[in-house]
């Protein structure tokens, strides 16, 4: 019998079929891996436009953030159930008031292990120290000259940098700026939905105040005495967010009339001459050592009110009509420089227009923020008046 030169035996045919099947499986696996890898890369890449207008690309949601602003902790806590785990390093953690810090420590003891690296301002920043924390993202709270060099060196080392506030936010009001910043942060860490919910909440609260003020022409004068206690009166200037909060709340900060930039100093005599209708001091627990205004996390109402009475008893402030008639108030300075600034807006609105905003309760707003957003509820006395609000007079 003559065998066909190209015909396989039964055994050969079986071997060939098995080999072909293995080849096809390997080929399919390779094609699947290529397709999955491409899909995965496309999904992982995050493209952001930060507050300086820079386009920033992240390979994946950031999990090891280093920041120049320790108050970023509060922003993260609004949108992430474990904000401490997200921080690989920070500068000057004492900017978080001690009461808030202790509250976070009870829930996240690892907060004590976050390395202190970098600096609040670029002049105090060591790029090498930041890199030692092995960040996958460096977050800067506010752009200012000098960050270009730091940003360039970190980018060269493969670390992207985003600015939460900066020139692109300059034209935005505080509500829009806060919304932008929290959405930017949320996108950077893969928590866009949660960030969007808080941003919407802030916008609605600001809008509610604006709608109530429609048609209101009276704009009571107010003196904002920043970090009150040591010397009267450090006050926000025309370009300060605090001044904007007062405008949006229906009042007028007298500091904006004479201080053109970010902040400046008013004499007690000048303040007495203007005799504003409302006095508002800002403070924090750290001012206790200086005899200043003490409000914030872990502070009880009695201690906060006692510090307010002490502060307005100095520097001729007791002669102000606002103080004599009980329209003197204290508020946590950190509220104004954090994502929780909507609370300051509502306090300002209630203090400058108590009848118009009689039903507005910042305490209820804080309770809702704690209930719906905060990973660690913030508790303490963050604002207070000289007297019980029920006996306060209209400005």
């Amino acid at each position: 019998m003559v065998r066909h030169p190209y015909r396989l035996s039964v055994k050969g045919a079986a071997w060939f079929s098995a080999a072909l099947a293995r080849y096809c499986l390997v080929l399919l696996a390779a094609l699947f891996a290529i397709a999955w890898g491409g899909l995965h890369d496309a999904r992982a890449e995050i493209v952001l436009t930060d507050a300086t207008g820079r386009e920033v690309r992240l390979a994946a949601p950031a999990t090891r953030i280093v920041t120049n602003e320790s108050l970023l902790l509060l922003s993260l806590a609004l949108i992430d159930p474990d904000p401490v785990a997200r921080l690989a390093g920070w500068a000057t953690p004492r900017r978080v008031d001690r009461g808030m810090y202790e509250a976070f420590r009870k829930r996240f003891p690892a907060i004590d292990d976050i390395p202190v690296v970098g600096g609040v301002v670029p002049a105090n920043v060591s790029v090498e120290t930041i890199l030692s924390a092995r960040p996958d993202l460096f977050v800067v709270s506010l752009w200012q000259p000098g960050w270009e060099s730091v940003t360039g060196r970190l980018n060269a080392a493969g670390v992207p940098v985003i600015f939460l506030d900066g020139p692109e936010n300059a034209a935005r009001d505080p509500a829009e700026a806060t919304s932008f910043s929290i959405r930017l942060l949320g996108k950077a860490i893969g928590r866009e939905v949660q960030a969007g919910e808080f941003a919407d909440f802030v916008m609605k609260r600001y809008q509610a105040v604006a709608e109530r003020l429609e048609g209101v022409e009276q704009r009571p004068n107010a003196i904002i005495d920043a970090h009150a206690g040591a010397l009267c009166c450090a006050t926000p200037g025309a370009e300060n967010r605090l001044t904007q909060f007062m405008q949006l709340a229906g009042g007028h900060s007298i500091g904006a009339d004479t201080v053109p930039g970010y902040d400046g100093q008013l004499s007690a005599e000048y303040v007495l001459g203007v005799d504003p209708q409302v006095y508002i001091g800002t403070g924090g627990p750290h001012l206790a050592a200086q005899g200043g205004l003490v409000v914030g996390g872990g502070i009880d109402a009695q201690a906060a009110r006692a510090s307010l009475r002490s502060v307005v008893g100095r520097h001729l402030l007791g002669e102000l009509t606002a103080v004599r008639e009980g329209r003197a108030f204290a508020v946590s300075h950190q509220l104004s420089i954090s994502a929780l600034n909507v609370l300051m807006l509502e306090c300002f609105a209630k203090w400058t227009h108590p009848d118009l905003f009689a039903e507005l309760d910042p305490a209820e707003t804080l309770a809702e923020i704690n209930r719906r957003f905060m990973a660690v509820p913030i508790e303490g006395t963050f604002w207070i008046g000289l007297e019980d609000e029920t006996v306060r007079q209209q400005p």
Side-chain angles (χ1 to χ4, degrees), residues 92-113:
T92 322
R94 63 178 177 274
R95 280 170 61 83
V96 179
D97 88 32
R98 202 62 195 173
M100 290 187 190
Y101 188 97
E102 291 299 332
F104 276 87
R105 175 191 271 163
K106 288 181 181 176
R107 179 78 175 274
F108 303 107
I111 194 172
D112 287 340
D113 300 326

Side-chain angles (χ1 to χ4, degrees), residues 139-151:
V139 177
V140 182
S141 59
L142 175 64
W143 181 92
Q144 59 180 286
W147 280 116
E148 298 93 334
S149 174
V150 174
T151 300

Side-chain angles (χ1 to χ4, degrees), residues 41-202:
D41 288 344
R43 287 180 175 176
E45 185 177 61
I46 300 172
V47 182
L48 311 167
T49 300
D50 75 359
T52 68
R54 298 162 49 251
E55 183 177 282
V56 181
R57 292 176 180 270
L58 308 182
T63 59
R64 293 187 59 80
I65 294 174
V66 171
T67 180
N68 78 320
E69 175 56 89
S70 54
L71 287 173
L72 184 71
L73 174 69
L74 300 182
S75 297
L76 287 171
L78 288 164
I79 60 176
D80 190 340
D82 191 352
V84 171
R86 194 83 62 168
L87 290 169
W90 57 3
T92 322
R94 63 178 177 274
R95 280 170 61 83
V96 179
D97 88 32
R98 202 62 195 173
M100 290 187 190
Y101 188 97
E102 291 299 332
F104 276 87
R105 175 191 271 163
K106 288 181 181 176
R107 179 78 175 274
F108 303 107
I111 194 172
D112 287 340
D113 300 326
I114 299 174
V116 178
V117 298
V120 175
V121 296
N124 296 333
V125 166
S126 163
V127 172
E128 291 74 18
T129 306
I130 292 173
L131 292 175
S132 71
R134 298 180 290 108
D136 56 11
L137 179 65
F138 184 59
V139 177
V140 182
S141 59
L142 175 64
W143 181 92
Q144 59 180 286
W147 280 116
E148 298 93 334
S149 174
V150 174
T151 300
R153 294 176 64 190
L154 287 173
N155 286 166
V159 178
V161 179
I162 61 171
F163 293 83
L164 297 182
D165 202 354
E168 292 293 310
N169 260 356
R172 298 185 174 107
D173 67 29
E176 294 169 335
T178 301
S179 176
F180 172 87
S181 298
I182 202 74
R183 289 181 188 277
L184 176 63
L185 182 64
K187 190 171 183 180
I189 67 171
R191 305 282 294 180
E192 290 181 82
V193 173
Q194 293 78 9
E197 290 174 353
F198 182 71
D200 291 344
F201 171 80
V202 168

Side-chain angles (χ1 to χ4, degrees), residues 146-326:
W147 280 116
E148 298 93 334
S149 174
V150 174
T151 300
R153 294 176 64 190
L154 287 173
N155 286 166
V159 178
V161 179
I162 61 171
F163 293 83
L164 297 182
D165 202 354
E168 292 293 310
N169 260 356
R172 298 185 174 107
D173 67 29
E176 294 169 335
T178 301
S179 176
F180 172 87
S181 298
I182 202 74
R183 289 181 188 277
L184 176 63
L185 182 64
K187 190 171 183 180
I189 67 171
R191 305 282 294 180
E192 290 181 82
V193 173
Q194 293 78 9
E197 290 174 353
F198 182 71
D200 291 344
F201 171 80
V202 168
M203 294 296 292
K204 288 178 181 176
R205 302 303 298 185
Y206 270 84
Q207 184 61 34
V209 171
E211 289 175 355
R212 186 65 65 87
L213 285 168
E214 287 180 359
V216 174
E217 296 182 356
Q218 182 192 20
R219 298 280 164 167
N221 281 332
I223 170 63
I224 300 176
D225 187 7
H227 309 292
L231 183 66
C232 174
C233 293
T235 193
E239 299 176 5
N240 195 300
R241 289 287 191 200
L242 274 167
T243 300
Q244 292 181 316
F245 293 143
M246 182 55 72
Q247 290 172 337
L248 293 173
H252 173 71
S253 171
I254 65 171
D257 297 332
T258 57
V259 180
Y262 186 77
D263 57 15
Q265 194 76 24
L266 299 177
S267 69
E269 291 74 15
Y270 175 83
V271 176
L272 283 174
V274 177
D275 198 20
Q277 292 146 293
V278 179
Y279 170 91
I280 299 172
T282 75
H286 65 290
L287 293 180
Q290 306 167 30
L293 199 51
V294 179
V295 283
I299 304 297
D300 63 45
Q302 184 177 7
R305 181 168 285 128
S307 74
L308 175 59
R309 287 175 176 163
S310 175
V311 166
V312 297
R314 308 173 205 161
H315 314 303
L316 305 177
L317 292 177
E319 298 181 22
L320 291 173
T321 302
V323 174
R324 286 190 280 105
E325 296 185 352

